[in-house]
Amino acid sequence: MQGDTTDELEAVLEYETIAVVGCSSTAGKAAHDVPRYLLERGYDVIPVNPYAEEIFGRHVYDGLGDVEESIDVVCVFRPSEEVSEIVDAALERDDVEVIWTQQGIRDDAAAARAEDDGRTVVQDRCMKVEHRRLAA
């Protein structure tokens, strides 16, 4: 299902655990500021970045397959050409309900694979912007 309607986006924002692939330790970058915003609003943010050990005082996982906690949403802060591989990793997990690619990031073929597998997909939207618009 494409998560494009207001109702669908509101439903996605109800989930609690968000694995952020490409989460950055550098303040001022969207890949740091957006997950921090979500964390500050009560979401359980799980950083995924093979080049960092700790972000927001939390352990950082190298990849989605390494995450021990249950994941509701995979939020992607990586270039569009990396989305297919990330979606494949998400589809290997039974717990991921939603794959969300941030503004400027999309892969329609990978999104179709995820939707065919019963996952909700939101592409090319900022989670912080949508949260502010719908939940704040």
Side-chain angles (χ1 to χ4, degrees):
M1 169 178 80
Q2 275 296 94
D4 287 333
T5 70
T6 296
D7 287 346
E8 289 166 341
L9 290 169
E10 285 175 339
V12 169
L13 293 172
E14 295 280 324
Y15 287 108
E16 296 176 0
T17 306
I18 305 169
V20 181
V21 179
C23 191
S24 175
S25 57
T26 307
K29 285 188 167 185
H32 176 86
D33 294 348
V34 171
R36 185 184 67 214
Y37 168 90
L38 296 170
L39 190 63
E40 289 169 351
R41 271 133 193 102
Y43 288 95
D44 182 12
V45 174
I46 302 169
V48 179
N49 180 336
Y51 305 106
E53 290 184 24
E54 187 178 296
I55 301 175
F56 313 125
R58 305 201 67 178
H59 172 75
V60 181
Y61 293 96
D62 287 346
L64 283 176
D66 301 317
V67 177
E68 297 166 4
E69 296 99 317
S70 182
I71 300 170
D72 298 321
V73 179
V74 172
C75 181
V76 181
F77 278 97
R78 298 299 304 147
S80 295
E81 53 271 15
E82 294 182 27
V83 169
S84 182
E85 182 180 319
I86 295 164
V87 166
D88 289 344
L91 294 180
E92 289 178 17
R93 300 182 62 106
D94 292 331
D95 52 357
V96 175
E97 300 287 338
V98 179
I99 298 166
W100 183 306
T101 64
Q102 284 293 121
Q103 217 159 355
I105 304 168
R106 73 180 304 124
D107 180 329
D108 292 335
R113 282 199 318 276
E115 289 172 347
D116 288 346
D117 197 58
R119 318 300 173 103
T120 298
V121 177
V122 178
Q123 293 195 93
D124 194 18
R125 288 181 183 255
C126 177
M127 204 167 209
K128 178 179 175 181
V129 168
E130 297 302 331
H131 184 272
R132 277 188 172 158
R133 183 173 73 89
L134 298 170

